[in-house]
Amino acid sequence: MALEGIAERNFLVVGRVGMDLCPDPPGTSTRDATTMVVGMGGSSANIAAGLVKLGCKAALVTSVSDDAVGWYCEGQLDRYGVNRSYVSRIRGEERTSLAVYETRLEDHQSVIYRNNAADFQMSIADVEAVDYSQFGALITAGTVFAAEPSRSAAFRAFELARAAELPIIFDVDYRPYSWPSPEVAEDVLSRAGALSDVIVGNDEEFGFMAGDIGKGLAKARDLAQGAASIVVYKMGHEGAITFADGAEFRTGIYPVETVKPTGAGDSFMAGFLAGLSEGRPMKEAVLRGSACASIVVARPGCAPAMPDTNGLEDFLAAHPGPTEC
């Protein structure tokens, strides 16, 4: 069911959109900044933008504050071609998320402002307003489960997606600062994983779900033997292990001159799913996701750095190839 839904190339993405600020020129620390570059951010919005760049369709379900920052995010979704029919504006003390991150590796700083985050106000009514029959698959990132009412809304979206026979794609995306406690996060993320058809996370995230960093790989393997038909266990510079169709295989990475550590996971997800949507073999789709991740960490920005189809093909043609596993 997962591959059939993904093949429709039309994704419903649940989760946040935000504004990113980055000191300019690249290499500048935030404390020394005199000029900032602005861009769209937020893991779910980044995934949606990356999918559209790679020829898919994507719609975002979230809430933004009814102010200049929220309006900016709406305009950026339009610019990237992401359907925002299900993006609601809210009025009150909640604000759209803001991230300040640096384009440098040494002493890198990423500062995320999510106090009273507007996207956590996404409601059950918001997700019930969606016509799930329009889409082939649902995607969400773990941050959406970190607080109420967004948590209940996301689980309701899972129910509605399942009723419409949409596969559920889950990016674990554990951000400790968003959660009330590690214990709550472990319980909720594990529940979300148990309901998902495709799960993508890094070694630390799977280790967290298992309650022990050393047990992350076993947790990923257990999930692949349960409801999930595809599980991707990412290991940073060591590549990834993918579990699918009762088998597992390792893939490497595409080495590049990295300028920042941010944005790789979102770009991986977009490239991986776009590859599957084109009917490519599983291993090739994973490697295309890895290539997208490498492209993003070699450029300033997150959504702006994500490749389109031509950019991805040019990168693959010019690069000597992934590392050996």
Side-chain angles (χ1 to χ4, degrees), residues 56-239:
C56 299
K57 294 180 180 179
L60 186 69
V61 187
T62 193
S63 297
V64 297
S65 49
D66 190 9
D67 57 26
V69 177
W71 305 335
Y72 168 83
C73 291
E74 290 176 340
Q76 289 296 295
L77 291 170
D78 291 343
R79 174 174 172 250
Y80 284 105
V82 176
N83 179 350
R84 62 176 178 88
S85 300
Y86 305 115
V87 175
S88 62
R89 292 182 181 180
I90 60 169
R91 294 183 177 182
E93 294 304 313
E94 296 83 11
R95 295 289 180 264
T96 300
S97 295
L98 177 68
V100 182
Y101 67 88
E102 298 168 344
T103 305
R104 62 176 188 159
L105 293 176
E106 186 177 357
D107 298 323
H108 174 87
Q109 284 279 304
S110 292
V111 183
I112 315 294
Y113 293 88
R114 287 185 55 69
N115 307 78
N116 295 319
D119 55 279
F120 283 147
Q121 296 304 306
M122 181 183 69
S123 68
I124 289 176
D126 290 329
V127 301
E128 288 182 341
V130 176
D131 180 0
Y132 290 81
S133 67
Q134 295 183 39
F135 302 97
L138 180 144
I139 306 169
T140 192
T143 307
V144 76
F145 293 101
E148 294 288 6
S150 177
R151 181 185 304 159
S152 293
F155 277 119
R156 178 60 175 152
F158 274 27
E159 292 176 355
L160 295 168
R162 185 68 69 206
E165 299 186 343
L166 271 61
I168 296 169
I169 301 162
F170 178 46
D171 185 342
V172 181
D173 191 37
Y174 174 54
R175 312 289 180 101
Y177 54 78
S178 292
W179 290 85
S181 73
E183 292 75 21
V184 171
E186 180 182 348
D187 173 64
V188 174
L189 293 176
S190 294
R191 281 196 284 137
L195 296 170
S196 301
D197 300 288
V198 180
I199 307 171
V200 177
N202 61 36
D203 45 5
E204 292 183 356
E205 290 166 339
F206 280 109
F208 174 78
M209 292 170 70
D212 183 337
I213 186 64
K215 297 179 180 178
L217 183 57
K219 178 69 173 181
R221 189 174 283 115
D222 287 345
L223 288 166
Q225 293 171 352
S229 58
I230 302 168
V231 177
V232 183
Y233 178 84
K234 299 183 295 182
M235 302 176 292
H237 69 279
E238 295 182 5

